[in-house]
Amino acid sequence: RRLNVRVNIELLSISNPVHKKDLAVRLTDDTDPFFLYNLVISEEDFQSLKSQQGLLVDFSAFPQKFIDLLQQCIQEQNKDIPRFLLQLVSSAPALDHTPVSLNVVETNPFKHLTHLSLKFLPGTDAEIKKFLANCLKCFKEDKMMLEEKLKKTEEDLTRQLSYTQQSLSEKSRELDKLKSEWTSYTTALSNKHSQELTSEKERALQAQTQYQQQHEQQKKELENLHQKSIQQLQNRLSELEVINKDLTERRYKGDSTVRELKAKLSGLEDECQRAKQEVLSLRRENTTLDAECHEKEKLINQLQTRVAVLEQEIKDKDQLVTRTKEVLDATQEQKVILEESTEEKQKHIEKLETTIKSLSAELLKANEIIKKLQGDLKTLMSKLKLKNTVTIQQEKLLAEKEEKLQKEQRESQEMGQSLQMKEQEVCKLQEQLESTIQKLEESKQLLKTNENVITWLNRQLSEVQMAKKLDSPASAHSGGRAAVSPLGMPDRPSFHSSGISHPISPLYAFQNFLEPIHSKNGNSQCPVQLNSQLLKPSRCLDAHTVPAAGHAANKENGEQLGLESKYFKKKDDSIPLRGLSQNTLNSEYLRPYLPAKAQPLPKAAGTPASAYFPG
């Protein structure tokens, strides 16, 4: 069975003969005065209980923890399946003054956990008598307190009755006076209110006509301004779309040129296997340029996002315009509602006037009719106050509407300023795009110049290698002798018949230098040994070596041919160039950069192709 039990917990301090503290717990039932169980726990008893039940709390903190467990049981006592329970278990079938154990149990789906179990002893006759005596004492004290309160309330009520009777007599006299005064006052009020209503109607009509004219003028002005702004924005959008299309076409063209350059580089990689170090340096430069191109593409994407943001802002502004129109429509509807309410109030006033006349005729009747008239008068006063408040509220509403219109005008001005700022930002972005496009073109030009420089350097290296091969060729016996440069190339051939004295290219000189040899040695072939870096021709027939002259092949009278001196300056981060194969002279890629006289040599009669160029 279930019972509501009262638990009293007390700490008892005993000083004689030794200072001790005991914990006294008492179980009682308010419905059954003979239900009494006691438990006294000393510090020594608590130590044994702590060891038996595995408690982790000291004696000083045990009372508060026990109270916390009881409070959790109280909180969950009204639930269908409570989590914490208090179980009072006895060995006997009924509570017949036998020892009882009080268990604090926590229920879960797996097990019933007993947090604490305390054994209580039933109260003896003396203890029960003492407990009942204390209960009687408490009840008597409560009874005395209640009796004193009753006496005080009776005296207060008698005083209030006498006072209310006197006040009733006085107020009845005052009522008689008020009746006579009220009849005269109501007639005067009705006259005044009729005059005031006519004047207020005229004023309200004049104000309404003025406000309607002002609102119509403002509406027309706002509609004209909004139409102009919308047309300007649409024109601006069309211009921006055309600019975006041009930018996308330019970007696609740039991508196509980059792809073509990459295809050319892949074709040249097969031919330039021996020059991998130089190609790696060029690839690093290309990677940096690709990174710059990616950064510029990112800038273009950012600009496109900004254009999208501007379009969203334009849409938001269109929504604001629609909202302002909706607000204006709502104000007009409120005006119509106010006019209808004024007409209804006028009808209601006429009805009230008729009721006042009927009430003035019936004032001479009994006291019951007087009470009804007092209620009607109160309602009339409240309605008059409501009318005054309604008029004040209408004035406030009109002032608020004027403020809203001013705010909308300010917002429209701010919107125009923000549009101007955004147009300026778009112009700046276009300038940035133009500058980036110019930088791209400059970088492409730099790439072209670098390629021209590389091809020219390769050509110079091939010429130098050919000159080294011809350091000790056999001199021709035809009578004509050409001067030789320190690198083994003829400096300036002698043309006595033509009178030509200007410098010519080394390849042309090399071609002319070989012609006498072939003319002298008709059918005999000169064996040539091919090497990866240099060509070493073997000596054939009776050839005489020509001593080297003191002039360079590309100089005449202090003038330098080819590129300017700035391309030959050594840099700290430069990579040294090494000899390339002679196939580069015959490649189609280098033909546009060779001069007219420095084209690949024609094959002479009776000489193999390997005598001039390997491969």
Side-chain angles (χ1 to χ4, degrees):
R1 61 176 179 169
R2 296 182 68 180
L3 288 173
N4 288 321
V5 179
R6 188 180 296 279
V7 182
N8 291 321
I9 299 168
E10 293 179 359
L11 270 173
L12 303 174
S13 61
I14 300 166
S15 59
N16 289 322
V18 182
H19 184 73
K20 290 182 180 180
K21 283 186 178 180
D22 294 335
L23 182 67
V25 183
R26 186 173 63 194
L27 296 176
T28 58
D29 188 3
D30 294 337
T31 60
D32 188 4
F34 294 101
F35 183 85
L36 179 64
Y37 288 91
N38 293 318
L39 174 64
V40 178
I41 300 170
S42 63
E43 292 181 358
E44 295 173 355
D45 297 333
F46 179 75
Q47 294 298 325
S48 63
L49 189 141
K50 183 178 180 182
S51 62
Q52 287 174 4
Q53 299 185 8
L55 300 177
L56 301 174
V57 182
D58 295 331
F59 182 74
S60 60
F62 175 71
Q64 186 61 40
K65 295 292 181 183
F66 183 48
I67 290 164
D68 293 335
L69 289 170
L70 293 172
Q71 285 178 353
Q72 287 180 355
C73 294
I74 290 164
Q75 288 175 1
E76 296 192 358
Q77 65 182 351
N78 293 322
K79 293 182 180 179
D80 295 332
I81 301 170
R83 187 180 173 188
F84 288 92
L85 293 172
L86 271 177
Q87 288 183 353
L88 191 67
V89 181
S90 66
S91 59
L95 297 171
D96 294 334
H97 301 286
T98 57
V100 171
S101 63
L102 182 70
N103 298 326
V104 180
V105 180
E106 182 181 358
T107 60
N108 57 18
F110 181 70
K111 189 180 178 181
H112 292 280
L113 298 172
T114 57
H115 288 283
L116 185 67
S117 66
L118 300 173
K119 290 183 179 180
F120 285 83
L121 296 172
T124 60
D125 293 335
E127 289 175 349
I128 290 166
K129 288 177 182 178
K130 188 176 180 181
F131 173 69
L132 291 171
N134 288 325
C135 290
L136 280 169
K137 187 177 179 181
C138 292
F139 282 127
K140 285 181 180 179
E141 288 177 355
D142 292 334
K143 186 182 177 183
M144 293 293 289
M145 292 290 287
L146 290 168
E147 286 177 352
E148 288 177 356
K149 286 181 181 179
L150 279 169
K151 287 180 183 179
K152 288 180 181 179
T153 52
E154 284 178 356
E155 289 176 357
D156 292 332
L157 288 169
T158 53
R159 288 174 186 174
Q160 287 178 2
L161 277 169
S162 62
Y163 181 73
T164 50
Q165 286 176 358
Q166 289 177 1
S167 63
L168 277 169
S169 62
E170 290 176 356
K171 284 179 180 179
S172 62
R173 292 173 187 173
E174 289 177 357
L175 269 173
D176 295 330
K177 291 179 181 179
L178 286 168
K179 286 176 186 177
S180 61
E181 290 177 357
W182 186 249
T183 53
S184 60
Y185 184 68
T186 51
T187 55
L189 279 173
S190 61
N191 294 322
K192 286 181 182 179
H193 283 298
S194 62
Q195 292 176 359
E196 288 176 357
L197 281 168
T198 53
S199 62
E200 284 179 357
K201 284 178 184 178
E202 292 175 354
R203 289 176 185 175
L205 289 170
Q206 291 176 359
Q208 283 178 359
T209 54
Q210 290 178 359
Y211 284 126
Q212 284 177 357
Q213 291 175 358
Q214 289 178 0
H215 284 303
E216 287 175 355
Q217 289 177 358
Q218 289 176 358
K219 275 176 72 178
K220 289 178 181 178
E221 291 175 356
L222 287 170
E223 286 176 355
N224 292 323
L225 288 170
H226 286 305
Q227 287 177 357
K228 288 179 182 178
S229 62
I230 288 161
Q231 288 177 357
Q232 290 176 359
L233 291 169
Q234 287 177 355
N235 294 324
R236 190 66 182 167
L237 278 170
S238 62
E239 291 176 358
L240 289 170
E241 287 176 354
V242 172
I243 290 163
N244 282 323
K245 287 179 182 177
D246 294 333
L247 290 172
T248 51
E249 288 176 356
R250 287 180 184 177
R251 190 181 71 184
Y252 288 130
K253 288 179 182 178
D255 292 332
S256 64
T257 53
V258 170
R259 288 172 185 169
E260 289 175 357
L261 289 170
K262 285 181 180 178
K264 287 180 181 179
L265 285 170
S266 64
L268 288 170
E269 281 175 358
D270 297 330
E271 295 177 357
C272 298
Q273 290 178 356
R274 295 177 185 177
K276 286 182 180 179
Q277 294 178 354
E278 295 173 1
V279 171
L280 289 169
S281 64
L282 290 170
R283 281 180 181 174
R284 289 172 186 170
E285 291 178 357
N286 284 324
T287 53
T288 55
L289 291 169
D290 289 330
E292 289 178 357
C293 289
H294 286 300
E295 288 177 357
K296 287 167 183 176
E297 286 177 356
K298 288 179 182 177
L299 286 170
I300 290 162
N301 291 324
Q302 288 178 359
L303 292 169
Q304 288 177 354
T305 53
R306 286 183 182 176
V307 170
V309 169
L310 289 170
E311 290 176 354
Q312 288 180 357
E313 288 179 354
I314 290 161
K315 290 179 182 178
D316 294 332
K317 288 170 184 175
D318 292 330
Q319 291 178 359
L320 283 171
V321 171
T322 55
R323 286 178 184 172
T324 52
K325 289 180 180 178
E326 289 176 356
V327 169
L328 288 169
D329 294 331
T331 52
Q332 289 179 356
E333 290 176 356
Q334 287 180 359
K335 283 180 182 178
V336 174
I337 291 163
L338 289 170
E339 289 175 356
E340 291 176 355
S341 63
T342 51
E343 290 177 356
E344 289 177 357
K345 286 174 184 176
Q346 287 175 1
K347 292 177 181 179
H348 192 64
I349 288 161
E350 291 175 357
K351 290 179 181 179
L352 289 172
E353 288 176 354
T354 55
T355 53
I356 288 163
K357 289 177 181 179
S358 63
L359 288 169
S360 62
E362 293 177 356
L363 280 170
L364 300 172
K365 292 181 180 180
N367 291 323
E368 292 177 355
I369 295 166
I370 290 164
K371 290 179 182 179
K372 291 179 182 179
L373 285 169
Q374 286 178 354
D376 293 330
L377 286 168
K378 288 179 181 178
T379 55
L380 284 169
M381 289 294 288
S382 63
K383 286 175 182 177
L384 287 169
K385 288 179 181 178
L386 284 169
K387 288 176 187 176
N388 292 321
T389 53
V390 166
T391 53
I392 292 162
Q393 286 177 358
Q394 287 177 356
E395 291 176 355
K396 288 180 180 178
L397 284 169
L398 289 168
E400 288 176 356
K401 287 174 184 176
E402 289 177 354
E403 290 178 355
K404 284 180 181 178
L405 287 168
Q406 290 176 359
K407 285 180 181 178
E408 287 174 356
Q409 289 176 356
R410 290 174 186 172
E411 287 177 356
S412 64
Q413 290 176 359
E414 290 176 356
M415 292 286 281
Q417 291 177 359
S418 63
L419 282 170
Q420 290 177 359
M421 294 290 287
K422 286 169 183 174
E423 286 176 355
Q424 291 176 0
E425 288 179 357
V426 170
C427 293
K428 290 179 181 178
L429 292 171
Q430 288 177 357
E431 290 176 357
Q432 289 178 1
L433 273 172
E434 291 175 355
S435 64
T436 52
I437 290 161
Q438 288 178 359
K439 288 179 181 178
L440 275 170
E441 291 176 353
E442 289 175 358
S443 63
K444 288 178 182 177
Q445 289 177 0
L446 282 171
L447 277 171
K448 288 181 181 179
T449 54
N450 287 326
E451 288 175 355
N452 292 326
V453 168
I454 289 162
T455 53
W456 185 84
L457 290 170
N458 289 326
R459 188 179 66 192
Q460 291 293 324
L461 283 169
S462 64
E463 289 175 359
V464 168
Q465 287 178 0
M466 292 296 293
K468 283 181 181 179
K469 292 172 189 175
L470 300 170
D471 283 336
S472 60
S475 62
H477 294 284
S478 61
R481 303 183 73 183
V484 179
S485 67
L487 295 171
M489 297 296 290
D491 188 10
R492 184 182 297 173
S494 60
F495 294 95
H496 299 288
S497 62
S498 63
I500 296 169
S501 63
H502 58 81
I504 62 172
S505 65
L507 289 170
Y508 185 77
F510 177 69
Q511 187 177 358
N512 291 326
F513 184 74
L514 289 173
E515 283 177 358
I517 294 170
H518 293 296
S519 63
K520 185 174 181 179
N521 301 320
N523 294 319
S524 62
Q525 294 181 356
C526 181
V528 178
Q529 294 179 359
L530 296 173
N531 198 357
S532 62
Q533 292 181 354
L534 296 172
L535 293 169
K536 296 180 179 180
S538 62
R539 294 181 181 179
C540 64
L541 300 175
D542 295 330
H544 298 283
T545 59
V546 181
H551 296 284
N554 291 326
K555 288 186 179 181
E556 169 109 3
N557 298 325
E559 293 178 1
Q560 188 175 357
L561 295 172
L563 295 173
E564 294 178 0
S565 61
K566 65 181 179 180
Y567 295 106
F568 296 98
K569 289 180 182 178
K570 186 177 180 181
K571 294 183 180 178
D572 295 332
D573 56 351
S574 63
I575 298 169
L577 293 168
R578 288 176 174 78
L580 297 172
S581 65
Q582 297 297 324
N583 289 325
T584 55
L585 289 169
N586 290 324
S587 64
E588 294 178 356
Y589 184 72
L590 295 174
R591 277 179 185 172
Y593 302 103
L594 291 171
K597 292 181 181 180
Q599 293 294 328
L601 295 171
K603 189 185 290 184
T607 58
S610 60
Y612 295 102
F613 299 104

